[in-house]
Amino acid sequence: MKERFSTGEWEQLKRLPPLMFVFVALADGKLQPEEAEKFANEIGDASRYRDPLLRELLFDLSQPRQFQTAFEGATRIVGTSTEAIDREISGIRVLLKDKLSDEEYHRFFYSLIGIGKMVADSAGEEKKGVFGTKKSAPGMSQEEAQSLTLLAVKFGVDLAAGQKAVERL
């Protein structure tokens, strides 16, 4: 699928998984080591993803230099302003809507949001109790769930259609 995109478009698309990671992992105000480890593991296991676009993006991101460039670009955008984030999301949405069929579009985002869910589910929240601080069982915080929902809305994703498209692969 990479051949459908110009070099510049592909570079922009490679920022999307790290952007999603930062958006979800920092939604609750803290990046936990388990979240970073889960994201790294998913990138490293690109071949298991059935969606061809996501698989190709993750394969490229598994190359350290490419990941570093994409991650730095995503964090720069997130650190700039909400308008910069909205511009990046809007640009990627338009690009993908132009290059992919509806089925491919929803399948890609269903798979990408699945990674976001795994990242969010990978770490528990720290709870202060009588005997000190401890981590709760792994699970998604309310803020992380809202963040994933917001991404799905901003990209206009039909998750049910995406799930059916993945099942057809």
Side-chain angles (χ1 to χ4, degrees):
M1 294 197 81
K2 186 177 182 176
E3 68 280 354
R4 294 187 194 181
F5 302 94
S6 71
T7 302
E9 291 168 339
W10 190 251
E11 292 303 312
Q12 183 179 19
L13 286 179
K14 285 193 306 191
R15 290 193 301 264
L16 182 55
L19 181 66
M20 181 270 315
F21 167 73
V22 170
F23 199 71
V24 172
L26 292 178
D28 57 5
K30 55 193 170 293
L31 174 62
Q32 296 168 299
E34 298 91 344
E35 293 168 330
E37 182 178 339
K38 183 63 177 172
F39 185 59
N41 288 341
E42 293 309 305
I43 289 172
D45 201 11
S47 64
R48 79 177 188 88
Y49 282 91
R50 294 177 9 191
D51 180 74
L53 178 56
L54 183 60
R55 188 174 50 242
E56 286 184 57
L57 281 170
L58 295 179
F59 178 74
D60 277 6
L61 290 172
S62 70
Q63 311 305 311
R65 178 163 279 147
Q66 290 194 43
F67 178 81
Q68 181 178 358
T69 300
F71 190 78
E72 287 172 356
T75 55
R76 184 180 61 253
I77 290 163
V78 169
T80 303
S81 66
T82 55
E83 291 82 19
I85 297 168
D86 284 340
R87 277 193 306 275
E88 182 77 356
I89 287 172
S90 178
I92 291 171
R93 183 180 62 236
V94 168
L95 172 63
L96 290 176
K97 286 277 191 181
D98 185 47
K99 302 280 185 171
L100 303 177
S101 70
D102 282 345
E103 181 168 311
E104 290 169 330
Y105 183 86
H106 295 294
R107 181 181 64 214
F108 168 74
F109 276 105
Y110 176 80
S111 300
L112 180 65
I113 289 172
I115 291 175
K117 182 183 180 318
M118 287 188 284
V119 166
D121 282 341
S122 67
E125 296 185 55
E126 288 189 357
K127 307 278 186 186
K128 293 197 186 271
V130 176
F131 300 105
T133 302
K134 67 177 185 173
K135 278 208 180 224
S136 64
M140 187 181 314
S141 71
Q142 181 177 355
E143 296 87 358
E144 290 166 334
Q146 290 170 339
S147 160
L148 284 171
T149 300
L150 181 60
L151 279 175
V153 168
K154 283 191 173 283
F155 281 104
V157 178
D158 180 340
L159 294 174
Q163 181 179 10
K164 287 178 184 171
V166 167
E167 291 168 358
R168 282 193 284 275
L169 283 177

